[in-house]
Structure formats: structure tokens, C-alpha cells
């Protein structure tokens, strides 16, 4: 098939390279000339494991090309995939302007086109409306085809999908089997709005699991129970499972925070108060500041402290800092006068642009620890988890306060190295710092 993919972010770039790898003739399109040039030269503008090699193979086979939207003069092919961004608006709702602009652009060049597949995450009801308006009178099929790729594992997830969700008419079923040739995942064929709802429901449910376990972790801290054991105990129930149950400083990234807020807005505009979702958001907003509360409780004042932050990306294996808990935390530490040192294997450049001057960026955990009173692990990069902790301890000031915001380290090993270790829902034995949320009385005072 000849396919055009519009929007070369995490989803579009992986889709383009993945489809070329099974023999489709793919043109990747973006309005951003710098981005297009980067893909053409093989110098990817994003860090995503295995993507560079996959793209290189596609380019060599002559099946993957890139162009800016201004440069495109050829027909767009049998299918166009829309993977434009849907960033959050002030109100929390999704900004659909990029998706709408893509559709209008496509409709001006639609010769021979059979279907438009929308992978962008759009609020339920959007596709049906666009089908009736932008595509009115045309025989082109509108297909909602949400993606479930995780950043950092996107290439792996592309080739090993749990499911392929397709919202559209009958023609879309044949087309999609042809498009996803060789993929052995279960197909869910449904209407456009239900397909869109599946995407939001999946992300909102996963976010709910994370906030739920974070609330349980707070209680574990209060009661002296250990969240790791609690999780093991519940996850053996197949109805619960083990995924999205890692307590920590909360979910970040370009998806969960945005999609949960957007679903909340969809609910409100449809006259429904989705209270559970509101709580998910509130709990998540709190989690990223837990290390700050713990520091305040332990040291009283923050302004005399030098704090090392390990991990800036919203999760490991990505350079993405969008809605990263570490960014909010560092901002708070700086506002309260702390000296901040930081380390991340891939996200330093992005963080430099987002954070105020004054943060000292370092090359590894050991360098980061130099002269620190406290270290806070915010992202569980393998390189950070497996750091030389003995050297880290030796380079820190006497307090050796360690807040493990992802429960990624072994508390006993850390304590043996003379760290004052605190996790989330892993009550510490010496000395007691309530690392969890401020108590009810604090919150109301
Ligand atoms: C998420 C979904 O997992 C994908 O299925 C979906 O396709 C994607 O959003 C999207 O909508 O495009 P992603 O944002 O890449 O993928 O990252 P996740 O691995 O799901 O993690 C999201 C956040 O939750 C991270 O900050 C992570 O640290 C946090 N998290 C995750 C937890 O705090 N605890 C957990 O148990 C799992």
C-alpha cells in the first residue's frame, strides 16, 4: 500500500517506520521543516530506543521518505494516517486545531484516497463530527485507530500490540487487515466514538490504578505496612494484575495527565460530574511534591539545602520531560531557595530549556551527589538504579538523606551504605519521617 503519515511525533514516526518495515511505501509528512530534515538525515529529533535503526532500514529499502507539507505534490496514497498532536487547552480539554488543519489539508489533495486513519487522541464524539463535516459528500472513510504505544517501548509495542482498535465502517475492516499485515493481535471493530472512548478509558483507568495505589502507599506509611508486599499480595489476583501499580511520585508524560483532564472536560460538557477522575488528578498532583514535604519535615528549612535530583524525564528510556514530576519538584525546590543539582541520561537538554537558570546539570549520579544534603530519585533509569551508591554516599554531606520517589532501590542495601533512606509506602525505621502526604490536619490548616 502507499501510505502517508502526517505528524512525526512519537506515534507518527514509529508508525511510519513500522509500516515501511513490512513493505508499505510510506511518506512521512510534518509542517516542521527542522523535524523533517532531522528524519531525512537520520539524526532523530526524539530519543526512542530502536527507532533510528528501524528508520534507517526503511530509508535504505527506499520505502520510507520524509517531506514537509509544503513540499508534497504527489498523491497521498491509499491511506493517510493522522498523528498530529492534541495538546491541552487552558480549560483542560484537547486542542483539536492541528487535527482539523491536517484533515483540511488532506481534503485538498485527496486524489485516489480510500481512508483517513486518525491515530491522534481525540475526545469521544470528535471523529463522528469530523466525518459529517470535513468529509461530507466524500467516499473517503474516516477511521478512528487509536494507538497504545508507550514512550521508551514504542517500537517494541508497535510490533507486539495487545489489540488493534478500529472505529469505522465495513470498508475499514478490509483496509486495516491489509495495512497491519503480519500483526497477530486481536482486532476490535467498532464505531468511531466507541474507538475514541476505548483510548480515553484505557489511559484514564491506568491513571486511576496509579493514583489508587499511591493512596494505599500513603496509608502504608501511616500504618507501618510495606507497599511492595501489599502489591505482590494483590497482584496475584488475576482480576487485579500487577501493571500500573507501582507507587511513586505520580504519572507524567504527554498522555495520562492530558487525557485524564480531557475526559474530565468531556464529562462536564456532557453534564456528568466524573468525581472519581477528579480525585485521580488531585492525588497525582500531590505525589510529585512528596519529596519536598519529606525534606521540609526532616530539615525544617529548604533554603540551606543542596539537593540532588536523579532523573528528569517523566519515565525511563525517554528524553521527554512533558509533565515530568521532576520538573515541578525542582521548580518548588528552587522557589524555596534550595541549590539543585540534577542528572538525567537523556533529558538534560530539554530540562535546561524548561527550568530556571541555577540548576547544576551533571554527568552521572556520583557527580550529582557532590556536596548534597539530600538526593531524590525521580526517574528509575537503569543507569541511576545501578549507580555506584557507595561513591554517591561518600560524596554527600553527612545527612545522606535519600528519597526514592520510584521505590526502585533496595532499602536495606541503602541503609547499610549509611543513607537515611525513605521510599513511598515503605515506612522507614530510622528516623521516622512521614514521607507521604501532609496529614489531614496540615491540609486543613
Ligand atoms: C501511556 C500508555 O501506557 C500507553 O498505552 C498509551 O499509548 C500512551 O500513554 C499514549 O496515550 O500515547 P506513556 O505515557 O508512554 O504511555 O507511559 P507509561 O509507561 O504508561 O507511564 C506513564 C506515567 O505513569 C509515567 O510517568 C510512569 O512513571 C507512571 N507510572 C506508570 C507510575 O507511576 N506507576 C506505574 O505503575 C506505571
Amino acid at each position: 500500500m502507499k501510505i502517508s503519515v502526517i505528524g512525526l511525533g512519537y506515534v507518527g514516526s514509529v508508525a511510519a517506520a513500522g509500516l515501511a518495515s513490512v513493505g508499505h511505501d510510506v511518506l512521512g509528512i510534518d509542517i516542521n521543516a527542522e523535524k523533517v530534515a532531522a528524519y531525512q538525515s537520520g539524526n532523530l529529533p526524539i530519543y526512542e530506543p530502536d527507532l533510528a535503526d528501524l528508520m534507517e532500514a526503511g530509508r535504505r529499502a527506499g520505502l520510507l521518505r520524509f517531506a514537509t507539507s509544503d513540499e508534497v505534490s504527489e498523491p497521498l496514497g491509499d491511506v493517510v494516517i493522522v498523528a498530529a498532536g492534541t495538546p491541552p487547552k487552558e480549560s483542560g480539554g484537547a486542542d483539536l486545531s492541528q487535527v482539523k488543519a491536517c484533515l483540511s489539508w488532506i481534503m485538498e489533495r485527496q486524489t485516489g484516497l480510500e481512508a483517513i486513519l486518525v491515530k491522534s487522541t481525540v475526545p469521544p464524539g470528535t471523529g463522528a463530527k469530523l466525518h459529517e463535516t470535513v468529509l461530507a459528500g466524500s467516499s473517503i472513510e474516516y477511521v478512528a485507530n487509536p494507538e497504545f504505544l508507550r514512550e521508551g517501548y514504542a517500537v517494541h509495542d508497535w510490533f507486539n500490540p495487545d489489540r488493534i482498535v478500529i472505529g469505522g465502517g465495513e470498508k475499514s475492516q478490509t483496509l486495516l487487515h491489509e495495512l497491519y499485515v503480519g500483526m497477530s493481535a486481536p482486532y476490535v471493530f467498532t464505531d468511531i466514538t466507541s474507538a475514541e472512548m476505548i483510548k480515553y478509558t484505557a489511559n484514564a483507568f491506568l491513571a486511576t490504578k496509579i493514583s489508587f495505589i499511591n493512596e494505599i502507599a500513603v496509608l502504608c506509611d501511616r500504618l507501618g505496612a510495606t507497599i511492595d508486599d501489599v502489591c505482590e499480595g494483590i497482584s496475584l489476583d488475576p482480576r487485579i494484575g500487577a501493571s500500573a501499580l507501582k507507587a511513586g511520585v505520580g504519572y507524567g508524560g504527554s498522555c495520562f495527565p492530558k487525557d485524564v483532564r480531557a475526559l474530565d472536560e468531556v464529562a462536564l460538557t456532557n453534564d456528568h460530574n466524573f468525581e472519581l477522575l477528579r480525585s485521580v488528578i488531585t492525588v497525582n498532583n500531590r505525589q510529585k511534591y512528596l519529596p519536598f514535604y519529606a525534606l521540609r519535615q526532616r530539615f525544617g528549612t529548604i533554603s540551606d539545602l543542596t539537593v540532588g535530583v536523579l532523573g528528569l524525564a517523566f519515565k525511563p528510556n525517554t528524553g521527554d520531560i512533558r509533565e515530568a514530576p521532576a520538573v515541578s519538584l525542582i521548580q518548588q525546590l528552587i522557589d524555596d531557595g534550595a541549590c539543585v543539582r540534577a542528572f538525567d541520561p537523556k533529558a538534560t537538554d530539554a530540562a535546561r530549556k524548561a527550568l530556571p537558570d541555577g540548576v547544576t546539570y551533571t554527568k552521572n549520579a556520583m557527580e550529582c551527589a557532590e556536596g548534597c544534603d539530600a538526593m531524590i530519585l525521580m526517574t528509575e533509569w537503569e543507569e541511576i538504579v545501578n549507580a555506584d551508591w557507595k561513591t554517591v554516599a561518600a560524596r554527600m554531606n553527612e545527612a545522606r538523606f535519600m528519597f526514592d520517589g520510584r521505590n526502585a532501590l533496595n532499602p536495606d542495601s541503602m541503609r547499610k551504605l549509611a543513607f537515611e533512606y525513605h521510599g513511598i509506602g515503605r515506612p522507614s525505621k530510622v528516623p521516622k519521617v512521614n514521607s507521604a502526604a501532609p496529614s489531614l490536619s496540615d491540609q486543613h490548616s
Side-chain angles (χ1 to χ4, degrees):
M1 288 173 108
K2 181 165 166 32
I3 301 157
S4 290
V5 179
I6 308 183
L8 297 174
Y10 283 90
V11 170
S13 59
V14 173
L19 289 167
S21 78
V22 292
H24 296 302
D25 177 8
V26 182
L27 178 65
I29 303 168
D30 202 287
I31 46 168
N32 184 328
E34 245 175 72
K35 215 186 239 186
V36 169
Y39 284 115
Q40 282 167 334
S41 69
N43 237 337
L44 271 46
I46 53 170
Y47 171 71
E48 187 60 42
D50 304 323
L51 184 57
D53 290 347
L54 193 66
M55 285 204 162
E56 182 56 26
R59 269 198 310 270
R60 281 219 194 110
L63 291 172
L64 182 57
R65 294 168 298 124
F66 298 99
T68 64
S69 37
D70 288 340
E71 289 165 352
V72 177
S73 53
E74 63 194 278
L76 298 174
D78 310 299
V79 170
V80 176
I81 293 176
V82 175
T86 51
K89 293 188 293 193
E90 283 274 302
S91 64
D95 177 352
L96 299 176
S97 56
Q98 293 180 40
V99 172
K100 287 181 181 166
C102 282
L103 288 187
S104 307
W105 185 85
I106 295 164
M107 293 313 282
E108 287 163 17
R109 302 165 171 75
Q110 37 128 326
T111 334
L113 188 62
E114 295 206 49
I116 299 174
L117 251 73
V118 176
K119 285 196 181 290
S120 303
T121 302
V122 295
T126 303
K129 256 188 228 138
L130 292 172
H131 195 198
E132 282 163 21
T133 51
V134 188
L135 269 70
S138 131
S139 62
I140 300 171
E141 179 104 17
Y142 182 106
V143 185
N145 178 213
E147 263 315 325
F148 302 96
L149 306 176
R150 294 163 303 163
E151 278 183 34
Y153 301 91
V155 171
H156 169 273
D157 289 354
W158 175 267
F159 290 108
N160 303 279
D162 303 315
R163 72 291 209 193
I164 294 174
V165 174
I166 294 161
E170 264 176 39
K171 189 167 102 187
S172 64
Q173 305 198 7
T174 338
L175 266 177
L176 270 284
H177 276 299
E178 209 182 320
L179 186 77
Y180 292 123
V181 58
M183 297 251 191
S184 63
Y187 279 75
V188 179
F189 289 109
T190 182
D191 59 276
I192 296 170
T193 305
S194 302
E196 293 164 341
M197 197 69 191
I198 288 170
K199 172 69 188 180
Y200 273 87
T201 306
N203 276 1
F205 184 65
L206 291 169
T208 303
K209 283 183 90 176
I210 295 169
S211 279
F212 179 83
I213 208 66
N214 281 334
E215 284 289 63
I216 295 292
V218 169
L219 276 182
C220 283
D221 261 319
R222 298 276 154 87
L223 298 169
T226 304
I227 191 70
D228 310 62
D229 297 345
V230 172
C231 279
E232 190 188 345
I234 61 166
S235 64
L236 291 168
D237 181 336
R239 292 171 304 173
I240 297 174
S243 57
L245 283 180
K246 265 170 36 199
V249 284
Y251 60 78
S254 65
C255 305
F256 286 177
K258 162 177 86 84
D259 295 348
V260 173
R261 285 198 296 262
L263 189 57
D264 181 37
E265 201 202 59
V266 168
L268 279 177
T269 51
N270 286 279
D271 202 22
H272 175 58
N273 188 10
F274 200 151
E275 290 184 58
L276 180 60
L277 221 45
R278 236 24 101 56
S279 302
V280 169
I281 296 168
T282 307
V283 169
N284 197 58
N285 285 341
R286 180 195 67 207
Q287 289 303 109
K288 54 191 162 205
Y289 297 111
L290 294 191
F292 175 79
Y293 301 138
L295 281 176
R296 213 171 44 185
Q297 197 180 344
R298 168 69 174 77
F299 294 98
T301 158
I302 302 285
S303 60
D304 300 333
L305 298 179
T306 299
V307 181
V309 176
L310 297 174
L312 300 165
F314 80 96
K315 67 175 198 176
N317 298 319
T318 178
D320 197 343
I321 58 156
R322 283 176 288 177
E323 305 252 5
V327 172
S328 308
L329 175 75
I330 291 175
Q331 186 65 63
Q332 180 72 57
L333 289 169
I334 289 174
D335 289 350
D336 273 56
C339 273
V340 177
R341 297 171 68 79
F343 166 64
D344 189 283
K346 293 285 174 201
T348 304
D349 288 347
R352 257 188 232 281
K353 289 179 200 147
L355 285 166
D357 294 342
V359 177
T360 305
Y361 297 95
T362 61
K363 290 197 193 72
N364 53 45
M366 286 73 78
E367 193 187 316
C368 187
E370 201 66 64
C372 284
D373 303 289
M375 299 292 283
I376 302 175
L377 188 156
M378 292 297 280
T379 319
E380 68 279 32
W381 283 95
E382 223 176 284
E383 184 177 338
I384 290 174
V385 174
N386 298 324
D388 174 357
W389 291 109
K390 203 171 164 188
T391 306
V392 170
R395 294 198 177 170
M396 286 178 74
N397 294 342
E398 207 187 330
R400 290 200 192 85
F401 182 95
M402 159 61 67
F403 192 99
D404 178 1
R406 295 291 179 182
N407 286 351
L409 304 169
N410 182 310
D412 292 338
S413 312
M414 298 308 283
R415 288 184 185 124
K416 269 189 202 134
L417 290 172
F419 283 104
E420 185 191 311
Y421 176 90
H422 302 273
I424 296 179
R426 290 171 148 186
S428 39
K429 295 179 183 95
V430 283
K432 177 72 183 151
V433 165
N434 184 6
S435 55
S439 67
L440 210 50
S441 49
D442 287 345
Q443 285 176 38
H444 288 284
S445 63

